[in-house]
Structures are given as C-alpha cells and as structure tokens.
Amino acid sequence: MPTSETVPTLVLLRGDEQLLVDRAVHRITAAARKADPETERREAACAGLTVGEFADLVAPSLFAEPRVVLLRGAQDAAKDAADAVLAYAAAPVEGVTLVVHHSGAARNKPLIDGLTRSGAAVVLCAPITRPADRIEFVRGEIRAAGGTTTPTAVAALIDAVGNDLAELASAASQLVADTGGMVDESAVHRYHRGRAEASGFAVADLVIAGNTAAALEALRWALIVGEPPVRIADALAGGVRTVA
C-alpha cells in the first residue's frame, strides 16, 4: 500500500466492492497529502470521457502542484480514451498519481493488462465471497477499531448482519464502541437482536411505548440498513397522531 515516502505514480484498483475501492482511494489520497498537503484531487467517470478531458486531468500545472487523478469505471471507457490512458501510463507526468478503477470485468481487459505492464501498483477490491475471508475481514475491522473478539462472536455478527462489507464494517466499529473493546457473542446478541425488524415503524412503536434504549438501537439499525430518514420521520409522526 502507498505510504508518504512512496506514493505510486500509477495505481490500478481491480474489483467492484465499493467499500474497498473507497478505502483504497482514501489511503492513496491521504498518503499523497501527507507527502504534500497541497495535493489536489480530481476524478472523472470513464464512461463518456474524451481524450481531451483526460489530457486536461493529467496535464502538468503551471506551478507543478501535486495531484491525484481518479478515473472510475475504466471498463466503460471508449477505445480512444483507453488508448490515451495507456499512452499516458508509458510516460506519466511527474507529481501526478493516476488511479484507475476497473471492475474486473472482461470489457477493456487490455487496459488492465497494459497498466500492469507499465508497473501500476495493483490493489484488489473484489467482493469477499469466501466465508473464511469474510471472517478475517470482520476480525480485522474489530482490531482496527481497537477491539478484540472471539471466533463465535465473529460468526454471530456475520449471521446477524449479513454479507455486506459496509454493514459489517459499521457494525464491527459500533460494537467496539458500545462494548468498550471486548466483542464477544453475548455482546453481538445483545446489540443486534431484532435487526430484521429495523424499520421506521419499528422505531416509532418503540418510541411510543417509551422504550428509549430499544428505540435508539432500532433507529441505528434502520439507518445502517438504508431506511430513508424521511420514512422514519413519517412513521414517528403517524405514531404521535395515533396517540393524539
């Protein structure tokens, strides 16, 4: 991974796991800005990207300010744009870190191969599908948050939350904060019971019943699983109207 001492000139992100892609981009940008706080970040989607637009993104600036340029979705790049990226990779601009994200699909695979031959640092961002890898991911998230855990707790957390990495990462971090660091199986069951019922109506029912702790827990889960805040607010308003 890039460090403040060695920020790569070319980086290829392979895979379509959004959490891993976003984290890799954050690490690269942070490393570049640690080396030079004035580093600018630019990004563009490859779908519809023209050769001229790409040239503007990576063109040397007047005062040679460092720059991170992110191209998202390289599998959707037109042939002339892909060729321009490969031509640039053969003679990159000093002070510019070009980060190219490709979903890993077969389309535009020559772009992947060309960037790899040009010496791009490759960061794998593919979805985690193997159960053992998912378990290791959760353990790593808990460690990164400053906590410790047990094998049964990790298995219980995955059973409760599911396979979405963003949700697992959020749940692991929150558990460490809630428990003070030790995430065991009882803590998982205590904080994650009733996740399937996490909805605006569930939050409203608990609020009306006066169960503040359970309502806050349900609210947290409703937000994590993507329940729109406006729907939660509507459910709360409906509950209040019913009581009135």
Side-chain angles (χ1 to χ4, degrees):
M1 295 308 300
T3 66
S4 59
E5 290 76 25
T6 56
V7 181
T9 301
L10 295 171
V11 183
L12 172 62
L13 309 181
R14 291 192 61 175
D16 57 0
E17 177 54 64
Q18 193 59 48
L19 175 70
L20 301 183
V21 171
D22 290 344
R23 285 185 173 183
V25 172
H26 174 76
R27 286 194 297 268
I28 294 163
T29 305
R33 286 176 174 164
K34 187 173 183 180
D36 190 328
E38 299 302 317
T39 297
E40 177 188 8
R41 177 177 151 184
R42 300 180 183 178
E43 69 174 81
C46 287
L49 182 70
T50 67
V51 173
E53 289 169 341
F54 172 68
D56 287 340
L57 288 170
V58 296
S61 63
L62 181 61
F63 299 104
E65 295 95 342
R67 189 185 319 156
V68 173
V69 176
L70 170 63
L71 300 182
R72 293 189 182 271
Q75 70 280 354
D76 298 322
K79 186 178 185 306
D80 56 350
D83 290 342
V85 172
L86 289 177
Y88 171 86
V93 174
E94 184 178 356
V96 174
T97 295
L98 177 62
V99 182
V100 180
H101 166 244
H102 191 291
S103 69
R107 187 176 179 185
N108 266 337
K109 188 175 182 299
L111 182 55
I112 293 178
D113 298 336
L115 289 171
T116 303
R117 285 194 299 268
S118 294
V122 179
V123 181
L124 298 180
C125 303
I128 296 177
T129 57
R130 293 178 63 245
D133 293 339
R134 197 173 295 117
I135 287 171
E136 189 54 39
F137 172 82
V138 173
R139 285 175 177 163
E141 291 298 303
I142 292 173
R143 285 196 300 267
T148 57
T149 189
T150 65
T152 56
V154 172
L157 183 58
I158 294 173
D159 286 342
V161 176
N163 297 331
D164 184 272
L165 292 193
E167 290 187 15
L168 284 170
S170 176
S173 175
Q174 188 63 53
L175 270 172
V176 172
D178 289 342
T179 62
M182 181 57 205
V183 179
D184 56 18
E185 190 173 1
S186 64
V188 173
H189 291 314
R190 183 167 68 252
Y191 286 100
H192 292 265
R193 65 185 182 273
R195 173 182 181 270
E197 291 74 34
S199 67
F201 293 109
V203 175
D205 288 345
L206 290 166
V207 169
I208 298 304
N211 192 338
T212 304
L216 289 172
E217 180 183 346
L219 174 61
R220 185 180 70 192
W221 272 116
L223 295 174
I224 288 175
V225 301
E227 182 81 349
V230 65
R231 190 177 300 169
I232 299 173
D234 285 345
L236 286 168
V240 171
R241 283 196 300 270
T242 299
V243 171

